[in-house]
Amino acid sequence: MEARAHAGHPEELRLWLRMLTCTQLIERDLRSHLREQFDTTLPRFDLMAQLERKPEGLRMSELSKRMMVTGGNVTGVTDQLEKEGLVARVTDEDDRRAFRVQLTAKGRQEFRAMAQAHEEWVVTALGGLAPEEIRALHQLLGKVKRHYLELETQ
């Protein structure tokens, strides 16, 4: 990605391409580890992560919104995980016509192992930074995020 930029481009564009390149490199590594060690995919991991944060479960539309993917993608991943006994669809008590997706006990157990490994992989991926550099980068990216969200509301 960064090869597209040259010294004549604005620094902002070069920074964006650098961030995108880093994200893609780390994501590629995470996908590979998940496939090799857990025979799973990043979308499956992400869906389970969303459910782990909400033990009462989430509606499919909520999952789709949180994961920033289409409802069809969420349905496909949910169907696979349900067949494997990792998630269950349960009737929504607030709306009997709808249902929520929840992690099963087996799903929680498998997710915990994946999440622990995932955390270690991310720590390793960012291990070239000192703790104070990590804090500074986190703070600066937070500033970028806030600015962007302000632009969206204008």
Side-chain angles (χ1 to χ4, degrees):
M1 282 299 213
E2 286 184 79
R4 296 181 190 175
H6 55 75
H9 283 122
E11 283 291 322
E12 294 84 355
L13 176 62
R14 292 173 41 207
L15 173 60
W16 162 244
L17 292 173
R18 171 72 49 94
M19 291 188 319
L20 189 56
T21 299
C22 291
T23 298
Q24 289 177 340
L25 289 170
I26 293 169
E27 187 174 299
R28 184 184 66 198
D29 192 46
L30 294 174
R31 287 178 189 276
S32 176
H33 284 305
L34 284 168
R35 185 176 50 256
E36 291 169 6
Q37 293 186 29
F38 295 99
D39 192 28
T40 197
T41 64
L42 192 54
R44 289 165 54 105
F45 176 85
D46 289 344
L47 189 142
M48 293 175 77
Q50 291 301 323
L51 296 177
E52 194 271 336
R53 292 181 189 112
K54 291 287 189 174
E56 70 277 12
L58 292 167
R59 290 186 181 180
M60 297 292 271
S61 59
E62 292 173 289
L63 274 169
S64 178
K65 182 179 176 182
R66 287 168 177 258
M67 294 176 66
M68 296 183 281
V69 297
T70 66
N73 289 348
V74 170
T75 299
V77 173
T78 300
D79 289 347
Q80 292 171 358
L81 293 170
E82 187 175 36
K83 285 178 189 168
E84 295 172 30
L86 301 174
V87 302
R89 288 177 166 100
V90 297
T91 303
D92 189 330
E93 293 180 13
D94 297 331
D95 181 355
R96 307 295 276 162
R97 298 166 297 169
F99 59 87
R100 292 182 173 274
V101 180
Q102 296 176 328
L103 283 176
T104 62
K106 177 182 176 185
R108 278 191 299 281
Q109 182 180 0
E110 288 195 21
F111 179 75
R112 277 190 209 108
M114 285 190 282
Q116 182 177 350
H118 180 274
E119 182 179 304
E120 292 169 10
W121 301 328
V122 171
V123 168
T124 298
L126 298 174
L129 296 173
E132 61 274 7
E133 292 171 321
I134 290 171
R135 284 189 294 277
L137 185 55
H138 189 265
Q139 183 178 20
L140 290 169
L141 290 173
K143 193 173 179 179
V144 170
K145 179 181 173 182
R146 284 187 300 280
H147 173 71
Y148 189 80
L149 292 173
E150 286 173 10
L151 289 175
E152 278 189 332
T153 61
Q154 294 177 1

